[in-house]
C-alpha cells in the first residue's frame, strides 16, 4: 500500500491544489504560521486543503491521546482522532503495550470524510515498512534474519516481520532428517523472490551455505595433503562408512579404517553432525577424492600382542560374537581371540558356544596359540580348570564299584553320571551275564540309580567303561559244578532251529540238543517233533564255560536206558544150561562194554571240538 501512496504523490496536482499549496503549509502546521489577516472562510479553506492529503493506505505518524478498553485514540492531524483496536497492543501474556503520548507510524485503513471517522492500524504500518525493507534487501542482494516458527507443507514458515516461506530443499545443504529441530531457531536467509500483492515471500538458507562452502572449499583444497590430521563434521552415514565434511571438501572414512576393532555399523559410533578428527590417507586432487582414516591415529595393537599375550597366559575379555564353531573374545580394541567349541569343556560335548558363554559376558581364558602376522589368537576356557580325566583314574581305579543315575539310554548302552560332568558307559553286553537284552530300556529307565563296576578308563579318548553284570559272579564259572557231564537234566524248550533244540536249564543258562543227538532215527527237523515250551529230559554231554555252551543229548539218554535194560537182563539170567545160553550172556556183556567205550570216545571228541 505504500506503493499506492507513492504513486499518488507523483501524480500532477490540479490548479486549485497548486494555489492552496502556495498559501498553506503542510498538514498539522501550528496556528502561529497564520498571519491573522485571513478571514474565517480562508481559514476553513486552508484546513480542508490540509486534510485532502489523507488517503487510505497512507502511512503517517500519530500520537496517542487516550487508551480505552477497546480503542486507542491517535492524533494524526485530522479534525477527529483516528482509532486503533486495542488488540493490536496486547501481547501473548495479555499486557497492553501502549500509553498516552506514544508516537509511532500508523496506516490509514478507512477514511470517511463525511462521517469524519478515521480507522488506523499500527500493525499494517509496520508491515508496509517491512515490505519496503524487503525490497531494499532484495535489490541490494543482502540477507535478512528470521525465526522459523513452524513446519508447513513442503517446508517452514519464517517470521521476518512478515510471514515468509522457506522450502525444505532450501533449508540446508543436504536433506534434513529431523525438521522439527529447526523450529524456533533464528537463521540468516536470502530473499529468493517476493510478491507484495500476493503477500508472498520465498527465502533460502541453502544459497548462503553453498557460498560459504565454496569459500571454505578453496581454502581446504589449498591446505589438504596426505598424512595430515584434520578436524571434520560427520555429513552422512552409510553401512560401508561415513562421509566427513573437512570444510567444503567431503572425505570417506571407510568402516575398515574407523577402528582397529570390530565395527558392525558406523551408526553405532557416530551421528550426523558429530565433530571428529581424522587422518588423510590419500588425496586425488583432480577427482577431489579424499580417503580418511581414524584408527591410523593410534598404533596397531597387534604389534605388541606377543608381549601382552604370551602362550599359556591367562587373560580376560568380553564375548563379542558367536558362531557355530566358537566364540570371539575381545581382549582390547582391535585384538580378538577365538575359543573353539572343542576348547570349552573337558567333559561336555558342546554343540554350540551359546551353551557355555553369551555375547557381552566377561570371561577368563588361556592363550593356546598366537599368530600376530595372521592376526589370530587361539584361546581356551577349559584350560582354566584342571582336566578331570587326569585324576579320574586315581579317583576311580579299575574294579571300583560306583553308584550313579542313568542320564541317557541308547540302543547300545546306558550313560551313567559320575561327577565333574563325566559320564560312564555301560555297554549292553555288560548289563547281564545271562539275559538276552535287545534294548537297555527293557531293563532300566532314565534317572534310575544303579551300581556298576569300573572296567576301563581311556584318558586319551575320554572314555569311561562300566559294567553292571560285573557286580555279581559269572554264573558260567560254576556251571560245571551244577551240571556234571553224563548228568540227567530237564528243561524247557526256548528255541527250535534246523540244527537243534535250545533248552533253558535255569534263567540265562541254555543247553543245545544237536539234531544228531535227538534220536537214533534220522530226524530232518526238530520242529516236526517238538514245540517251544515243551519240557524235555536229556543227558549232559559236555560243558564249555569259556564259550558258554552246554551240549545235551536225548539219544544218549535212550541208549543208556537200553544198556541198563541189557545189563539188568544179563545179571538176572540163570546160569547157562547150554552152550547157547553162555554164548548169549557173553555177547550182551561185550555189547555193553562196546557202547560204553563208544560213548566215552564221542564225549572226548566233542570236548576236543
Amino acid at each position: 500500500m505504500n506503493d499506492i501512496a507513492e504513486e499518488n504523490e507523483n501524480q500532477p496536482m490540479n490548479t486549485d491544489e497548486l494555489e492552496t499549496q502556495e498559501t498553506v503549509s503542510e498538514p498539522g502546521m501550528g496556528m502561529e504560521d497564520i498571519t491573522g489577516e485571513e478571514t474565517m472562510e480562508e481559514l476553513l479553506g486552508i484546513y480542508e486543503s490540509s486534510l485532502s492529503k489523507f488517503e487510505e493506505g497512507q502511512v503517517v505518524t500519530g500520537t496517542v491521546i487516550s487508551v480505552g478498553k477497546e480503542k486507542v485514540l491517535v492524533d494524526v492531524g485530522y479534525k477527529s482522532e483516528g482509532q486503533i483496536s486495542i488488540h493490536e497492543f496486547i501481547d501473548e501474556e495479555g499486557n497492553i503495550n501502549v500509553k498516552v503520548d506514544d508516537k509511532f507510524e500508523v496506516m490509514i485503513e478507512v477514511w470517511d470524510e463525511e462521517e469524519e471517522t478515521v480507522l488506523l492500524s499500527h500493525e499494517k504500518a509496520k508491515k508496509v515498512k517491512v515490505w519496503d525493507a524487503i525490497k531494499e534487501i532484495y535489490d541490494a542482494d543482502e540477507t535478512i534474519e528470521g525465526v522459523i516458527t513452524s513446519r508447513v507443507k513442503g517446508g517452514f514458515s519464517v517470521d521476518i516481520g512478515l510471514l515468509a516461506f522457506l522450502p525444505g530443499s532450501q533449508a540446508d545443504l543436504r536433506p534434513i532428517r529431523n525438521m522439527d529441530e529447526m523450529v524456533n531457531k533464528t537463521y540468516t536467509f536470502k530473499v529468493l523472490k517476493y510478491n507484495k500483492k500476493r503477500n508472498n515471500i520465498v527465502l533460502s538458507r541453502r544459497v548462503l551455505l553453498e557460498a560459504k562452502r565454496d569459500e571454505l572449499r578453496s581454502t581446504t583444497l589449498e591446505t589438504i595433503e596426505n598424512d595430515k590430521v584434520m578436524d571434520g563434521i560427520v555429513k552422512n552415514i552409510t553401512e560401508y562408512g561415513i562421509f566427513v565434511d573437512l570444510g567444503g571438501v567431503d572425505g570417506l572414512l571407510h568402516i575398515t579404517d574407523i577402528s582397529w576393532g570390530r565395527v558392525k555399523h558406523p551408526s553405532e559410533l557416530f551421528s550426523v553432525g558429530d565433530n571428529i578428527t581424522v587422518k588423510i590417507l590419500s588425496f586425488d586432487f583432480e577427482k577431489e577424492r579424499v580417503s580418511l582414516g581414524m584408527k591410523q591415529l593410534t598404533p596397531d595393537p597387534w604389534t605388541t600382542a606377543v608381549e601382552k599375550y604370551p602362550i599359556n597366559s591367562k587373560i580376560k575379555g568380553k564375548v563379542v560374537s558367536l558362531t557355530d564353531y566358537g566364540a570371539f573374545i575381545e581382549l582390547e580394541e582391535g585384538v580378538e581371540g577365538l575359543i573353539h567349541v572343542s576348547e570349552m569343556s573337558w567333559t561336555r560335548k558342546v554343540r554350540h558356544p551359546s551353551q557355555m558363554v553369551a555375547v557381552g559376558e566377561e570371561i577368563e581364558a588361556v592363550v593356546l596359540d598366537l599368530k600376530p602376522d595372521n592376526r589370530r589368537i587361539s584361546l581356551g576356557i577349559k584350560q582354566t580348570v584342571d582336566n578331570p580325566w587326569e585324576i579320574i583314574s586315581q579317583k576311580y581305579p579299575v574294579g571300583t564299584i560306583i553308584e550313579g543315575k542313568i542320564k541317557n539310554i541308547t540302543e547300545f548302552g546306558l550313560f551313567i553320571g559320575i561327577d565333574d560332568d563325566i559320564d560312564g558307559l555301560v555297554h549292553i553286553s555288560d548289563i547281564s551275564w545271562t539275559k538276552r537284552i535287545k534294548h537297555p530300556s527293557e531293563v532300566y529307565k532314565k534317572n534310575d540309580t544303579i551300581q556298576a563296576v569300573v572296567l576301563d578308563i581311556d584318558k586319551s579318548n575320554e572314555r569311561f567303561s562300566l559294567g553292571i553284570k560285573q557286580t555279581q559272579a559269572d554264573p558260567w564259572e560254576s556251571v560245571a559244578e551244577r551240571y556234571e557231564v553224563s548228568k540227567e537234566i530237564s528243561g524247557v524248550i526256548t528255541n527250535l532251529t534246523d540244527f537243534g533244540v535250545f533248552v533253558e536249564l535255569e534263567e540265562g543258562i541254555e543247553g543245545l540238543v544237536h539234531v544228531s543227538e535227538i534220536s537214533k532215527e534220522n530226524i530232518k527237523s526238530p520242529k516236526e517233533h517238538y514245540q517251544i515250551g515243551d519240557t524235555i529230559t536229556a543227558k549232559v554231554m559236555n560243558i564249555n564255560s569259556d564259550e558258554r555252551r552246554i551240549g545235551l543229548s536225548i539219544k544218549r539218554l535212550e541208549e543208556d536206558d537200553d544198556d541198563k535194560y541189557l545189563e539188568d537182563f544179563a545179571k538176572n539170567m540163570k546160569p547157562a544150561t547150554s552152550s547157547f545160553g553162555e554164548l548169549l550172556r557173553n555177547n550182551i556183556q561185550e555189547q555193553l562194554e562196546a557202547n560204553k567205550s563208544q560213548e566215552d570216545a564221542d564225549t572226548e571228541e566233542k570236548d576236543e571240538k
Side-chain angles (χ1 to χ4, degrees):
M1 291 186 180
N2 194 33
D3 293 340
I4 297 174
E6 291 176 359
E7 291 174 2
N8 291 333
E9 290 176 356
N10 294 329
Q11 290 177 357
M13 293 184 254
N14 56 34
T15 307
D16 294 337
E17 289 175 335
L18 200 57
E19 292 176 353
T20 303
Q21 285 192 359
E22 290 176 352
T23 57
V24 187
S25 62
E26 294 185 4
M29 70 177 182
M31 293 300 294
E32 64 273 9
D33 294 329
I34 301 174
T35 62
E37 298 177 358
E38 294 83 355
T39 65
M40 180 61 67
E41 186 176 337
E42 291 174 338
L43 290 175
L44 290 174
I46 294 172
Y47 182 64
E48 290 177 357
S49 176
S50 66
L51 294 178
S52 66
K53 287 194 173 185
F54 286 114
E55 295 181 2
E56 292 180 357
Q58 184 178 354
V59 177
V60 297
T61 301
T63 303
V64 177
I65 58 176
S66 69
V67 178
K69 292 183 178 181
E70 297 181 357
K71 302 289 182 180
V72 175
L73 299 182
V74 180
D75 179 12
V76 293
Y78 187 56
K79 54 187 175 183
S80 62
E81 296 83 4
Q83 301 177 13
I84 303 176
S85 173
I86 191 67
H87 296 293
E88 290 194 18
F89 302 97
I90 298 177
D91 60 21
E92 294 179 354
E93 297 178 357
N95 300 318
I96 299 176
N97 298 318
V98 65
K99 62 183 183 297
V100 175
D101 293 332
D102 282 351
K103 288 186 178 183
F104 43 73
E105 292 182 330
V106 293
M107 187 184 82
I108 300 173
E109 283 192 286
V110 177
W111 176 40
D112 191 335
E113 184 176 0
E114 294 180 1
E115 297 293 333
E116 296 186 355
T117 57
V118 180
L119 299 182
L120 309 174
S121 174
H122 177 49
E123 292 292 335
K124 291 183 178 181
K126 290 194 294 184
K127 289 182 179 180
V128 169
K129 289 295 183 180
V130 174
W131 279 111
D132 293 341
I134 289 173
K135 181 179 184 306
E136 293 177 4
I137 290 171
Y138 180 82
D139 292 341
D141 197 25
E142 295 178 350
T143 61
I144 188 171
E145 279 195 352
V147 179
I148 295 179
T149 57
S150 63
R151 287 180 56 185
V152 295
K153 184 178 180 180
F156 301 91
S157 180
V158 184
D159 183 3
I160 57 172
L162 296 171
L163 285 182
F165 176 63
L166 173 65
S169 61
Q170 297 295 322
D172 207 329
L173 291 172
R174 47 192 171 273
I176 302 170
R177 293 186 178 180
N178 187 359
M179 299 180 70
D180 291 330
E181 290 182 351
M182 299 188 70
V183 177
N184 295 326
K185 291 184 179 179
T186 301
Y187 297 98
T188 301
F189 304 97
K190 192 78 174 281
V191 179
L192 290 184
K193 60 182 180 178
Y194 74 96
N195 189 314
K196 185 176 180 182
K197 292 181 179 180
R198 296 181 180 179
N199 197 31
N200 183 28
I201 306 170
V202 180
L203 305 177
S204 174
R205 178 170 172 261
R206 179 173 180 170
V207 171
L208 300 177
L209 295 176
E210 286 176 343
K212 184 177 180 181
R213 182 185 63 182
D214 292 341
E215 184 180 347
L216 287 173
R217 185 184 188 85
S218 300
T219 304
T220 302
L221 289 174
E222 292 176 0
T223 59
I224 197 170
E225 60 184 13
N226 290 344
D227 296 326
K228 183 177 181 179
V229 177
M230 301 183 68
D231 292 329
I233 300 174
V234 177
K235 184 176 180 180
N236 191 23
I237 299 176
T238 68
E239 61 181 7
Y240 56 85
I242 64 175
F243 288 92
V244 182
D245 183 358
L246 302 174
V249 177
D250 292 343
L252 173 62
L253 175 59
H254 196 270
I255 187 171
T256 57
D257 289 311
I258 292 176
S259 171
W260 292 110
R262 182 191 298 260
V263 179
K264 293 182 179 179
H265 197 282
S267 60
E268 297 177 348
L269 303 175
F270 304 101
S271 299
V272 173
D274 286 351
N275 293 302
I276 62 173
T277 302
V278 292
K279 186 175 183 179
I280 308 298
L281 301 183
S282 64
F283 173 53
D284 188 332
F285 186 83
E286 294 182 358
K287 297 181 179 179
E288 295 186 1
R289 290 182 180 177
V290 185
S291 296
L292 307 175
M294 180 175 283
K295 72 180 184 182
Q296 289 79 5
L297 298 173
T298 58
D300 184 353
W302 281 96
T303 57
T304 58
V306 174
E307 293 78 17
K308 287 185 177 180
Y309 311 108
I311 294 176
N312 295 325
S313 64
K314 284 188 176 182
I315 57 89
K316 288 185 178 180
K318 182 174 70 173
V319 180
V320 293
S321 178
L322 299 180
T323 67
D324 291 338
Y325 54 85
F328 286 92
I329 313 300
E330 184 182 56
L331 309 184
E332 63 175 284
E333 184 177 345
V335 179
E336 292 182 6
L338 172 65
I339 302 177
H340 194 269
V341 287
S342 61
E343 303 297 341
M344 290 188 171
S345 176
W346 292 111
T347 55
R348 294 177 59 184
K349 291 184 178 180
V350 181
R351 296 182 178 180
H352 194 274
S354 59
Q355 296 176 248
M356 301 294 293
V357 296
V359 174
E361 181 182 358
E362 295 282 344
I363 64 169
E364 186 178 59
V366 173
V367 178
L368 304 180
D369 190 24
L370 174 63
K371 296 179 179 178
D373 293 340
N374 297 327
R375 307 174 82 86
R376 292 181 180 177
I377 296 180
S378 297
L379 305 173
I381 54 176
K382 71 181 184 181
Q383 290 80 5
T384 59
V385 296
D386 294 332
N387 183 358
W389 287 100
E390 295 295 332
I391 59 175
I392 198 72
S393 58
Q394 300 176 6
K395 189 174 182 179
Y396 302 107
V398 173
T400 303
I401 297 178
I402 60 96
E403 186 174 87
K405 286 187 176 182
I406 298 175
K407 295 178 66 176
N408 195 19
I409 299 177
T410 68
E411 61 181 4
F412 57 83
L414 308 169
F415 284 94
I416 313 300
I418 303 171
D419 56 15
D420 296 326
D421 290 328
I422 291 180
D423 294 342
L425 172 63
V426 179
H427 194 268
I428 189 172
S429 62
D430 289 312
I431 292 178
S432 174
W433 290 112
T434 57
K435 290 182 179 180
R436 292 184 179 180
I437 301 173
K438 294 182 179 180
H439 197 282
S441 60
E442 297 174 1
V443 185
Y444 298 101
K445 61 180 182 292
K446 196 173 181 179
N447 294 324
D448 281 352
T449 300
I450 63 171
Q451 287 187 337
V453 175
V454 178
L455 302 181
D456 183 48
I457 298 177
D458 186 349
K459 292 185 291 184
S460 59
N461 294 315
E462 298 184 353
R463 292 178 180 174
F464 199 122
S465 299
L466 302 173
I468 296 175
K469 70 182 183 181
Q470 288 81 1
T471 59
Q472 300 174 349
D474 184 356
W476 281 94
E477 293 179 356
S478 60
V479 72
E481 299 175 2
R482 299 195 303 278
Y483 304 104
E484 299 176 0
V485 175
S486 300
K487 184 177 180 180
E488 182 180 324
I489 60 171
S490 296
V492 178
I493 296 175
T494 57
N495 194 16
L496 295 173
T497 66
D498 291 338
F499 60 83
V501 179
F502 285 94
V503 182
E504 184 179 52
L505 307 181
E506 61 181 70
E507 185 178 3
I509 304 294
E510 290 183 339
L512 173 64
V513 180
H514 194 270
V515 66
S516 62
E517 295 296 332
I518 293 177
S519 176
K520 294 177 182 180
E521 299 177 1
N522 185 17
I523 296 177
K524 294 182 179 180
S525 176
K527 297 179 181 179
E528 299 175 357
H529 301 273
Y530 300 101
Q531 293 183 353
I532 294 175
D534 289 349
T535 300
I536 63 171
T537 302
K539 184 178 181 180
V540 177
M541 297 298 296
N542 55 71
I543 297 175
N544 189 330
S545 298
D546 295 335
E547 297 182 4
R548 300 177 180 272
R549 293 191 305 181
I550 298 177
L552 303 177
S553 176
I554 299 173
K555 180 177 72 175
R556 296 298 177 90
L557 189 60
E558 293 177 352
E559 290 176 350
D560 287 348
D561 290 342
D562 292 343
D563 290 344
K564 185 177 180 182
Y565 174 77
L566 290 173
E567 186 177 351
D568 290 343
F569 177 77
K571 287 181 180 180
N572 294 329
M573 285 184 64
K574 294 181 180 180
T577 56
S578 64
S579 58
F580 175 77
E582 184 66 25
L583 181 61
L584 179 59
R585 179 189 290 182
N586 292 336
N587 287 339
I588 292 173
Q589 191 66 37
E590 289 175 2
Q591 183 65 40
L592 290 172
E593 291 177 358
N595 290 342
K596 179 66 174 174
S597 299
Q598 183 64 42
E599 182 178 334
D600 293 340
D602 292 342
T603 301
E604 290 177 2
E605 182 179 355
K606 288 187 177 182
D607 289 341
E608 290 176 359
K609 292 181 179 180

